[in-house]
Amino acid sequence: MDEGTDARDVLENKLLPLRRGYIGVVNRSQKDIDGKKDIKAAMEAERKFFFTHPSYRHMAEKMGTPRLQRVLNEQLTNHIRDTLPAFRSKLQSQLLALDKEAEEYRGYRPDDPSRKTKQLLQMVQQFSVDFEKRIEGSGDQVDTVELSGGAKINRIFHERFPFELVKMECDEKEMRREISYAIKNIHGIRTGLFTPDMAFEAIVKKQVIKLKEPCVKCVDMVIQELINTVRQCSNKLECFPRLCEETERIVTTHIRDRESRAKDQVLLLIDIQLSYINTNHEDFIGFANAQQRSSQTNKSQSASVNQVIRKGWLTINNISIMKGGAKEYWFVLTAESLSWFKDDEEKEKKYMLPLDNLKVRDVEKSFMSSKHIFCIFNTESRNVYKDNRTLELACDTQDDVDSWKSSLLRAGVYPEKTVTVESETTSSSDNFSMDPQLERKVETIRNLVDSYMAIVNKCIRDLMPKAIMHLMINNVKDFINAELLAQLYSAGDQNSLMDESQEQAQRRDEVLRTHQALKEALAIIGDISTTTITTPMPPPVDTSWMGINRRSPPPSPTAPRRMSSGQRPGPRGAPPPPNRPGPLGPFNNSAESPQAPSRPNRAPPSIPSRRPPPSPTRQAPPS
């Protein structure tokens, strides 16, 4: 500060009050530094200054660099004491998270063959356990995002495969035409009096042969899911690239080998069905009851009228942009109708669509849309929804589309039959008419074929999952448990199989280094003493006078200046005392100075300006 400047009001916390007050210090001047004045002498001169100065000696014990050091040390220690428990807990949780992994890495020796052998055995065993858990299901490590493993195979067995069977059924008109041709060709030039058995067998065998395609497709879908499961389980072996590659190759090769055997067995099941048409089956209606089948079907359909088959969110894709564009609704499918609501509370129903004469058609995925689409249409060319001939429904995944198709299949909404151009031209060119007697024979055989094909479909639906489980899934599990390790040993050198990837080596070094650093940090924290005793935080200072001054209007140019509290008027002709605190350096400094709530924004302290005394002629105008 300038010579003769008094900072007593500042240091006594009167001019600009701070919650922790002020601590004045005397720093070395440039002259002292040039004169090689050491720190010890400077601190002694500082102490002498405060104890001898008439303005500061009454508070000399609270001034000086040693006092500032002690206060700041208390501040730092208190902060450490407050934050140390949370920091220690964070370090301990990180240490616990790394304990198991660090223990495994600590025991691993890249150059020790015995350690590599042990690691190989553990990896193969873990792969076997993971594969079995994904197929059979397990409570730990459950995927909550999508279906995988056994759950997806279960959907293939009980949703996708039945849907594929129904898709293979032929059109009603085409079947009746084939039956009529078969009856006429069997009678030849004769006029038959009875319905021929051979026509029934010929039509049934033709329908049974069509089952081969969906059965083979079911095997392909299961194999693809098995390969995906093997790939997911082998992800844990990525730290050993050669082991991961060999394991995936060996198991996938075995699955492909079993694929041909499974398909041969599945085709054998179809051939067995073709070899003998069992008309004495207990579920077969027989010739006597063939005419009553349609009435029984109607009764069974009416019994399941109000059954809710499925609920879920679907997007109606073909709403025009003028009406809001594609929207998502909550759909409820029953045995007789398809309804959708505004939300899943089912309070505001938007529309109810009867299922009569409805069928399902696949729609190609558009270029701009990420959703998968299928549509519902009326076979009588009527509008399905308002002015729309079709109702396009969109799902996020193809699996959801297949699942909804299966549910619609249960409700009696079948997929569209693809009729070739040749069959259309043939039917239009023949344009034959059947007499009433032939009509009755066709109807009888049609009912018999429906009854027998229901028996065959029921048998195939039951045998297919069993055959695939025995020939594919259980066999692959047994192979992994019993043969995989031997195949890996015969594939090459075990040491090369257990060579780490560069990323794994870096990960091991990083984990071990981090684990050791955490242990050392906790040991250091345990040695820290936090028993510092300090006085509590002083209460906030009273700054109401500053708020009053701030809210008052600025003084007019002719108004006399007010003096702040603690400021003494100087003699006439002398410069007034400073109305702001003096500079904090090189004389004084503060410890920790949180800003008072009503403290105005001020410029940093500088040399007090020396203003001329106010002119005696400048008076405030009378109010």
Side-chain angles (χ1 to χ4, degrees), residues 312-368:
W313 291 98
L314 283 174
T315 301
I316 299 181
N317 202 55
N318 58 333
I319 299 179
S320 63
I321 299 178
M322 298 296 293
K323 298 180 181 179
K327 285 187 178 180
E328 194 173 26
Y329 295 102
W330 178 259
F331 278 74
V332 177
L333 174 65
T334 65
E336 66 172 4
S337 66
L338 178 65
S339 307
W340 54 92
F341 301 80
K342 182 179 179 181
D343 51 34
D344 54 2
E345 295 181 358
E346 300 181 13
K347 292 182 179 179
E348 185 178 347
K349 180 182 286 189
K350 293 294 185 181
Y351 199 78
M352 186 181 75
L353 177 65
L355 299 183
D356 298 335
N357 301 320
L358 294 184
K359 285 196 174 184
V360 179
R361 176 190 300 154
D362 291 328
V363 177
E364 291 187 5
K365 183 178 176 182
S366 62
F367 176 74
M368 299 297 294

Side-chain angles (χ1 to χ4, degrees), residues 182-183 186-187 194-205 277 279 284 287 444-445 448-449:
I183 293 174
I186 289 172
H187 286 317
F194 304 101
T195 305
D197 294 348
M198 295 177 63
F200 164 73
E201 290 192 6
I203 299 299
V204 165
K205 287 182 178 180
I277 308 299
T279 55
F284 188 60
F287 279 86
T444 300
I445 292 182
L448 291 174
V449 170

Side-chain angles (χ1 to χ4, degrees), residues 306-440:
N306 296 322
Q307 179 186 3
V308 176
I309 297 176
R310 186 187 179 95
K311 295 182 179 182
W313 291 98
L314 283 174
T315 301
I316 299 181
N317 202 55
N318 58 333
I319 299 179
S320 63
I321 299 178
M322 298 296 293
K323 298 180 181 179
K327 285 187 178 180
E328 194 173 26
Y329 295 102
W330 178 259
F331 278 74
V332 177
L333 174 65
T334 65
E336 66 172 4
S337 66
L338 178 65
S339 307
W340 54 92
F341 301 80
K342 182 179 179 181
D343 51 34
D344 54 2
E345 295 181 358
E346 300 181 13
K347 292 182 179 179
E348 185 178 347
K349 180 182 286 189
K350 293 294 185 181
Y351 199 78
M352 186 181 75
L353 177 65
L355 299 183
D356 298 335
N357 301 320
L358 294 184
K359 285 196 174 184
V360 179
R361 176 190 300 154
D362 291 328
V363 177
E364 291 187 5
K365 183 178 176 182
S366 62
F367 176 74
M368 299 297 294
S369 174
S370 61
K371 291 182 176 292
H372 300 263
I373 307 171
F374 67 99
C375 77
I376 298 174
F377 67 97
N378 194 301
T379 56
E380 298 179 355
S381 300
R382 297 179 181 175
N383 291 340
V384 176
Y385 173 59
K386 296 184 178 180
D387 298 333
N388 299 317
R389 289 295 182 94
T390 62
L391 180 67
E392 293 187 3
L393 303 176
C395 303
D396 292 331
T397 63
Q398 184 62 39
D399 288 341
D400 292 338
V401 171
D402 295 335
S403 181
W404 270 100
K405 285 182 181 178
S406 301
S407 300
L408 289 167
L409 182 64
R410 290 175 54 195
V413 181
Y414 294 96
E416 180 186 22
K417 307 300 180 186
T418 55
V419 182
T420 60
V421 177
E422 292 181 2
S423 63
E424 290 179 353
T425 56
T426 303
S427 61
S428 60
S429 61
D430 288 348
N431 196 16
F432 65 94
S433 61
M434 293 188 291
D435 57 76
Q437 184 180 5
L438 181 60
E439 197 63 62
R440 287 193 297 271

Side-chain angles (χ1 to χ4, degrees), residues 470-532:
H470 174 69
L471 296 171
M472 292 289 307
I473 299 174
N474 290 340
N475 183 272
V476 171
K477 288 195 299 184
D478 294 339
F479 173 80
I480 293 175
N481 287 328
E483 298 293 331
L484 177 58
L485 188 61
Q487 295 275 359
L488 286 171
Y489 274 116
S490 62
D493 185 14
Q494 303 89 280
N495 292 330
S496 62
L497 287 176
M498 298 305 295
D499 287 341
E500 282 184 308
S501 63
Q502 184 177 0
E503 294 81 5
Q504 177 65 12
Q506 294 176 354
R507 168 70 179 170
R508 186 181 71 251
D509 294 341
E510 181 182 352
V511 168
L512 292 177
R513 185 171 61 252
T514 305
H515 188 268
Q516 184 62 27
L518 289 172
K519 290 176 65 175
E520 293 176 358
L522 286 172
I524 293 172
I525 291 176
D527 294 338
I528 294 178
S529 174
T530 58
T531 57
T532 303

